[in-house]
Amino acid sequence: DHIICVRIKPKDKKYREPKLRNAINIEIENIRDAAAIMRKAQFGMTYDGLIHHVLAGFKIPAVIIHVGLVSKKVLGYDGNIYYEYDHPLTPCGRTYDCDHCSDANRSITVDMIYESCKEFL
């Protein structure tokens, strides 16, 4: 109850993810506004991508879901917690939904991420 969770999501009609319960959901039109909000974070949680690198630039630790596209060995930062899919095809490097990446996503649970986030509190 004492921890404020802020979820930043793109202000785009194509992005249809539901709002997070018990969180402040903010729709942002550009990355500059998102970065200004992230700068105040104690830690972050995201998939590998731009936000991962923004948080690292601010030296904000994060839980990062890498699934199957790229390895933390290539784009990882010290102090973060990474989830990767232990599979011979990881990283597959595909830029489309493949069976490998779908399996990777299913292998990571909300409970796993939640427990990792608690390590930063």
Side-chain angles (χ1 to χ4, degrees):
D1 289 335
H2 65 283
I3 299 167
I4 298 170
C5 177
V6 176
R7 195 267 189 106
I8 300 170
K9 62 185 225 172
K11 191 172 191 175
D12 183 343
K13 293 192 186 309
K14 295 176 193 170
Y15 190 84
R16 294 190 234 157
E17 292 295 320
K19 291 183 177 183
L20 287 182
R21 288 178 288 140
N22 303 318
I24 298 170
N25 291 273
I26 301 174
E27 291 184 346
I28 299 294
E29 291 185 11
N30 64 67
I31 189 62
R32 289 183 183 140
D33 292 341
I37 292 168
M38 283 186 275
R39 181 65 183 102
K40 299 294 184 180
Q42 181 178 349
F43 72 93
M45 195 291 301
T46 188
Y47 279 94
D48 176 48
L50 176 63
I51 302 305
H52 168 214
H53 303 295
V54 170
L55 292 168
F58 289 137
K59 300 198 181 334
I60 297 169
V63 176
I64 310 297
I65 300 172
H66 266 265
V67 289
L69 180 62
V70 69
S71 171
K72 69 180 177 186
K73 294 174 189 168
V74 176
L75 293 175
Y77 298 96
D78 291 338
N80 289 343
I81 298 171
Y82 291 92
Y83 281 89
E84 289 188 308
Y85 185 46
D86 186 19
H87 187 279
L89 292 178
T90 301
C92 74
R94 292 184 181 97
T95 58
Y96 57 88
D97 291 335
C98 67
D99 290 340
H100 167 261
C101 289
S102 294
D103 290 343
N105 277 319
R106 283 191 295 275
S107 75
I108 300 167
T109 67
V110 172
D111 289 338
M112 292 164 66
I113 301 302
Y114 178 76
E115 289 302 315
S116 292
C117 288
K118 289 189 332 187
E119 292 185 32
F120 292 127
L121 300 176

